[in-house]
Amino acid sequence: MTDVRDALREVWDDEPDRYPSGPDPLPAVRARLRRRRRLQAVAVALALCTVVGLGVFTVVTAGRPAPAPQVAAPAVPELRGLPAYLRPADPAEAVLRMARPQAVPSGDRVAYEGAGPVIRVVAVFDFEAALGLPGVPREVTVATVAQVLATDDVATSTAYLSAWLPDGRTLFVSVTGDTPQVRAATLDALVEANLG
């Protein structure tokens, strides 16, 4: 009510002999006060919406981890000497499909799969693993400058090869195929093409 009194004081002076001669000013004063209150309510509502919106936006963006910087993966060398029917495959999935995935060391992996006498070839460049491979040792018939350890595991139809080159590079290869002769011939072709 004090707002109404203040508004009326603007219209009428304190002098009793100076009353306005026009229409009653009270409805105009009340309308002006209603407009002022409405504008204030709208301003408060806008301010609250802005604060709440910023708070929600901050919470949503703070919950997400920062995007990892895009780092180009080092180029994995290509394995040469493969049978023509083998196609590139996802290395992680190819290793998991193997009978002994624990035999594959960590390093830069490539995999090839296909339908033929050789089903799968997994190669690991610059591998890190302990010495020793599953299966029966076999001789590599191709001349190479690398130190080579080759085995054939008849139970899993897989031949394994680990090679250490004089310059410090290493190569691991596993060949899954139908017969020991096919696996041995494929390993020899891979040694000749990649280590010869």
Side-chain angles (χ1 to χ4, degrees), residues 143-167:
T144 180
V145 295
Q147 292 182 351
V148 179
L149 171 63
T151 62
D152 190 71
D153 190 0
V154 178
T156 61
S157 300
T158 304
Y160 299 94
L161 175 118
S162 292
W164 295 266
L165 290 145
D167 61 3

Side-chain angles (χ1 to χ4, degrees), residues 123-135:
V124 182
F125 295 92
D126 299 323
F127 69 88
E128 299 171 8
L131 299 177
L133 297 172

Side-chain angles (χ1 to χ4, degrees):
M1 204 60 184
T2 58
D3 293 339
V4 173
R5 284 190 190 136
D6 292 339
L8 287 175
R9 278 194 196 118
E10 292 175 12
V11 176
W12 294 318
D13 286 352
D14 289 337
E15 300 172 16
D17 57 339
R18 291 202 46 197
Y19 292 112
S21 60
D24 186 14
L26 195 54
V29 169
R30 285 185 179 152
R32 193 170 68 220
L33 288 175
R34 273 192 302 264
R35 282 192 302 266
R36 185 182 304 160
R37 286 185 188 132
R38 227 179 277 141
L39 285 174
Q40 288 173 346
V42 168
V44 167
L46 278 173
L48 283 174
C49 287
T50 303
V51 169
V52 169
L54 284 174
V56 168
F57 179 74
T58 304
V59 168
V60 168
T61 56
R64 294 183 182 162
Q70 296 293 332
V71 178
V76 178
E78 185 179 325
L79 191 63
R80 297 178 309 271
L82 291 167
Y85 54 86
L86 291 179
R87 298 287 171 242
D90 181 32
E93 290 179 15
V95 168
L96 291 176
R97 283 192 287 272
M98 293 179 62
R100 293 189 186 184
Q102 69 275 13
V104 179
S106 60
D108 297 329
R109 294 178 176 177
V110 294
Y112 302 90
E113 292 182 329
V118 176
I119 300 165
R120 182 180 310 111
V121 174
V122 175
V124 182
F125 295 92
D126 299 323
F127 69 88
E128 299 171 8
L131 299 177
L133 297 172
V136 178
R138 71 172 275 297
E139 188 176 329
V140 176
T141 59
V142 178
T144 180
V145 295
Q147 292 182 351
V148 179
L149 171 63
T151 62
D152 190 71
D153 190 0
V154 178
T156 61
S157 300
T158 304
Y160 299 94
L161 175 118
S162 292
W164 295 266
L165 290 145
D167 61 3
R169 293 180 297 138
T170 57
L171 176 65
F172 169 88
V173 178
S174 71
V175 176
T176 305
D178 293 341
T179 64
Q181 294 79 16
V182 168
R183 295 190 296 268
T186 304
L187 268 184
D188 288 343
L190 291 172
V191 167
E192 185 175 9
N194 296 285
L195 303 173

